[in-house]
Amino acid sequence: MNAPLRQRSACPHDCPSTCALEVEVADGKIGRIRGASGNAYTAGVICAKVARYAERAHHPDRLMTPLMRTGPKGGTDFRPIGWEEALDRIAEAFLAAEAKAGAEAVWPYHYAGTMGLVQRDGIHRLRHAKGYSRQYDTICTNGAWTGYIAGTGRLAGPDPREMREADCLVIWGTNAVATQVNVMTHAAHARKTRGAKIVVVDVYANDTTKQADLALILRPGTDAALACAVMHVAFRDGYADRAYMARYADDPAGLEAHLATRTPEWAAAITGLSVEEIEAFAKIVGTTARTFFRLGYGFTRQRNGVVAMHAAASIATVLGVWQREGGGAFHNNGAIYTLDKTMIEGTDVVDRATRRLDQSQIGRILTGDAEALQGGPEVAAMLVQNTNPMVVAPEQESVRRGFAREDLFLAVHEQVMTETARMADIVLPATMFTEHDDIYKGGGHQYILLGPKLVDAPGECRENDYVQKEIARRVGAEHPGFHMTPREHIKWMLDASGYDSAALERDGWIDCQPSFEEAHYVNGFAHADGRFHFRPNWTATPAPNNGPMGPYTEMPVFPDHWDVIDRASEDRPFRLVTAPARSFLNTTFNETPGSQKREGAPAVLVHPEDAAPMGIADGVLVRLSNGRGAVLVTAKLFDGVGRGTLVCEGLYPNEAFVDGKGINTLTGADAMAPYGGAAFHDNSVRLERAGADALAMVAETA
Ligand SMILES: Nc1nc2c(c(=O)[nH]1)N[C@H]1C(S)=C(S)[C@@H](COP(=O)(O)OP(=O)(O)OC[C@H]3O[C@@H](n4cnc5c(=O)[nH]c(N)nc54)[C@H](O)[C@@H]3O)O[C@H]1N2
Ligand SMILES: Nc1nc2c(c(=O)[nH]1)N[C@H]1C(S)=C(S)[C@@H](COP(=O)(O)OP(=O)(O)OC[C@H]3O[C@@H](n4cnc5c(=O)[nH]c(N)nc54)[C@H](O)[C@@H]3O)O[C@H]1N2
Ligand code: SF4
Ligand SMILES: [Mo]
């Protein structure tokens, strides 16, 4: 074997860190992967699951040839077919669906299995060129982005590398150790070099709270109450920067008056925190000039999550910390790149009158819900790339029924045989990131990165771009973008957007960090009036929108506890959070031995004092249920969850559960106000010991 070469790449996965990588390559195969030390955000550190990527790339169960289903949907009976036949069959089904009910009967469905702009977003070109149904992306970012933009006017903030220069870092609603490890690299640096304090706000003790000087474990969906109390104390105790607000905020006097009754006592009753904890938090952030709020997604996956994000970001404005290096509130840098995606996405041929179906409501859509279908035809044919909705989408009972429809034609392009692929009529084998060319941009940092093809694809695996183009050719979709290679797409986009494509080839990344003044809103916030909005015009937020939707007319005027969460009740006394697992990335890595070993079997964390009166011991099988369905899972007693809170980490395969029903059986697809989004961590449930029938089922499978 030849000595491995270290090649530059970028992590393709759906993670705010978008790490710059060095990949060992020898004899046409990838080996160990490391973080690029020359990249100032990655700083040589990556997560364990990607470090051992070779496990995934060389997995014996990787899909290697196109397959056609020969047995019932959801089963394991498939036979290999050639690419030509597979693509012909897909095109035939798409043309038939179009002939029968119009192009909107075809719904290309995708998400972020790869975040590469060419391989992920090229599916839009096919969609727009044909007038197929559009997709409204609601499964992940909507709530968080809308809440942040409502305040600042723009999805961008202080240079995330400034976390190193902070004296207090507030990690709010993100389990960064698990979901974006690089935040912790910079936090640890600030602690070591400056003695920075780390505060973590979450609903249970996890690997990130372990790193905290102050860990605030609150009730799910109550973050805005905490934020209000912190701002109340800031006004009360003189931490509020009135001069800053006079220059940079819309209505500080109105906010102060509104907060008069939002005392720590008031917030303690809502959040379950003690008054002392709230006072201590307010004092730390109020007396530390360089306080950096790193706001995550987790706390926005609540029905009031948009309001919570806006409330948390508002603290930075009340304190005036935006002005300083190492200060401000950061969530995501999506707005800094302004890339021209005309050729990749075919944005020049999009017809905005074409319906835009809500990604999270795929269950309702596939089961014929008229409202979800927006009055249009039934979905009759789909191409799925980069996503595993049979596990990740809410309201699984209807998702399963929808995918089981005999009259639905489904093509799934995948790297492994997911539960979604098993529902397909045609399965196509996909390349992994080291096997194709692509370009990436960081959400949690400020780089554009190149991920070049490093090795040949195994078997007959082909890239997304190929599938998009070959279907396009067969269904008569026209666009110049179909005649460009991925490399040509990358160059065209960079040239059209004013970036130096040669520099990207040479250096592997481009640092796109805006100036300090712009990133810290020194010349004003991004709203027309140049001010941070404490009282947002919720339905004018420049977020991508289908809306407004959800109970948006009832949104509070100022930051407040908005009680629209799925409240605990006598019938459903527990609040279930479906937090991420450290060694899976959504369902990606479900199949790799290293991740399987670390995560074991699904379990629900229950506070011992909640469990005891119900006779629930550690390791017993319990039943979680609500109006949407029921899940059987093992209880794990843990005093790091609050009373009344349950946490089920991870997106395990459904089949990892005793009766094959995964955690998203319990989550809802109703749209969060004002622009939609799925509230994955916002579920009231009933908890009980599993009945005799369930235990018999376990005995049978044992
Ligand atoms: N290892 C790993 N990494 C991942 C992922 C993964 O599944 N596994 N997923 C990737 C994806 S797609 C995304 S979008 C990001 C998301 O990454 P994050 O921004 O970290 O968001 P979440 O993973 O949804 O949840 C983070 C934390 O929010 C907490 N939380 C839930 N409800 C509340 C609440 O009401 N208040 C507060 N304060 N906290 C709450 C959860 O307990 C959890 O610890 O991570 C990415 N990275
Ligand atoms: N209960 C609960 N559910 C959740 C969440 C939660 O916190 N709790 N989080 C939600 C969030 S934030 C998100 S973003 C969604 C994510 O949900 P998904 O986007 O469905 O994420 P994955 O499950 O990782 O599935 C991605 C799939 O893409 C495939 N893939 C990767 N690269 C390529 C490629 O180049 N080509 C092709 N064709 N396929 C590829 C992978 O093999 C994998 O099966 O899940 C959501 N679901
Ligand atoms: S931390 Fe995130 S971006 Fe970095 S290697 Fe792991 S999954 Fe990829
Ligand atoms: Mo996500």
Side-chain angles (χ1 to χ4, degrees), residues 91-106:
E92 207 176 289
F94 281 18
L95 289 168
E98 182 183 353
K100 194 164 159 216
E104 285 184 337
V106 181

Side-chain angles (χ1 to χ4, degrees), residues 606-617:
V606 187
H607 195 286
E609 288 168 30
D610 284 335
M614 305 175 74
I616 293 173

Side-chain angles (χ1 to χ4, degrees), residues 9 68 81 185 224 272 370 398 420 449 479 486 490 566 571 618:
S9 185
M68 190 173 123
I81 56 172
T185 310
S398 49
T420 306
L449 303 102
H479 193 276
I490 292 169
D566 187 11
D571 194 36
D618 196 55

Side-chain angles (χ1 to χ4, degrees), residues 14 111 140 301 586:
D14 189 358
Y111 206 52
C140 179
R301 308 199 195 289
N586 304 315

Side-chain angles (χ1 to χ4, degrees), residues 198-260:
I198 298 174
V199 182
V200 177
V201 185
D202 207 297
V203 299
Y204 75 119
N206 56 35
D207 288 343
T208 306
T209 63
K210 276 185 207 153
Q211 304 290 321
D213 298 286
L214 177 64
L216 299 169
I217 308 290
L218 42 60
R219 295 190 184 121
T222 65
D223 297 75
L226 173 62
C228 285
V230 169
M231 292 188 281
H232 170 97
V233 173
F235 281 110
R236 185 194 71 193
D237 293 357
Y239 308 141
D241 188 336
R242 292 171 193 281
Y244 180 81
M245 282 187 279
R247 160 78 178 81
Y248 287 101
D250 60 342
D251 188 5
L255 178 68
E256 184 172 3
H258 160 75
L259 292 172

Side-chain angles (χ1 to χ4, degrees), residues 545-575:
N545 73 81
N546 245 28
M549 57 179 85
Y552 69 93
T553 54
E554 293 149 41
M555 294 183 80
V557 173
F558 285 108
D560 209 346
H561 177 60
W562 188 31
D563 204 6
V564 289
I565 51 176
D566 187 11
R567 275 190 298 277
S569 63
E570 203 177 321
D571 194 36
R572 300 206 284 260
F574 290 91
R575 297 261 304 140

